[in-house]
Amino acid sequence: GSGFARVRPGLEHTICIDAEPPRHAEAKQILQILQATDLFRSFDVASACDVLACIVPRSYTAGAIICRAGEAGPALLRIVRSGAVQYAGISGATRTLGYCDYFGEGEVMLTDGRHRATATAMTDVEMLEIERGDVQYLLRRRPQLLHRIQQRAQLLDHAPS
């Protein structure tokens, strides 16, 4: 014979073949998220690679407090990779953040070490995080990023609820 055996019908008899994801699949997905994010959309390949080298993926379970307004904590620029985050700013404005939305840009610009908003995972959330020191590095290499961050932080501070 051919070496093939007849398979019984039904989902429970489906043959699963373990396969490794392509080598650069995660990097490609992160670059697609960066391209969809207004802060990084116009970056050239070298700039995108700089950002990619700084990103740390992190997971939060539904209900987890990601950061709390007024509390000290690490200053991170956070980009939502998947899931939903409730974001309550110091101005009282509350909004739901999803895929490619980001927050923390004001915190990475300040030196007081206090969060400017409370962010809560509404669902399980996958986040891409960039530490303040890495953001400062990116700002030195890409000065146009500073202007974008300042504009957005100012808009969010004055956004209606």
Side-chain angles (χ1 to χ4, degrees):
S2 67
F4 290 101
R6 188 164 180 86
V7 178
R8 294 186 304 184
L11 216 53
E12 65 276 7
H13 301 292
T14 300
I15 297 172
C16 295
I17 300 171
D18 290 330
E20 292 289 320
R23 269 190 335 160
H24 303 294
E26 185 177 30
K28 180 181 175 188
Q29 183 193 39
I30 291 170
L31 289 171
Q32 288 170 334
I33 291 169
L34 294 178
Q35 189 175 26
T37 306
D38 64 336
L39 277 181
F40 304 110
R41 183 174 295 132
S42 64
F43 271 27
D44 58 27
V45 172
S47 299
C49 287
D50 284 344
V51 176
L52 187 60
C54 298
I55 283 180
V56 176
R58 190 159 287 130
S59 300
Y60 297 90
T61 57
I65 302 296
I66 297 167
C67 61
R68 191 180 307 275
E71 288 186 359
L76 301 168
L77 177 62
R78 294 176 163 113
I79 305 168
V80 180
R81 186 178 192 173
S82 68
V85 174
Q86 181 181 37
Y87 181 87
I90 56 174
S91 65
T94 300
R95 62 189 198 281
T96 300
L97 305 177
Y99 178 74
C100 292
D101 288 329
Y102 58 93
F103 62 97
E105 63 277 6
E107 291 155 21
V108 298
M109 303 303 295
L110 299 175
T111 57
D112 70 357
R114 304 236 174 252
H115 293 292
R116 298 168 49 126
T118 297
T120 306
M122 298 171 67
T123 64
D124 288 347
V125 172
E126 296 295 322
M127 196 80 69
L128 301 175
E129 298 180 342
I130 307 173
E131 294 183 10
R132 180 182 185 182
D134 290 328
V135 172
Q136 299 296 329
Y137 163 79
L138 294 170
L139 292 175
R140 284 192 302 277
R141 293 185 48 93
R142 311 290 179 234
Q144 75 274 20
L145 183 59
L146 175 62
H147 179 68
R148 288 188 199 140
I149 288 176
Q150 288 173 330
Q151 277 184 317
R152 175 156 163 111
Q154 188 174 35
L155 285 172
L156 291 178
D157 281 347
H158 302 296
S161 32

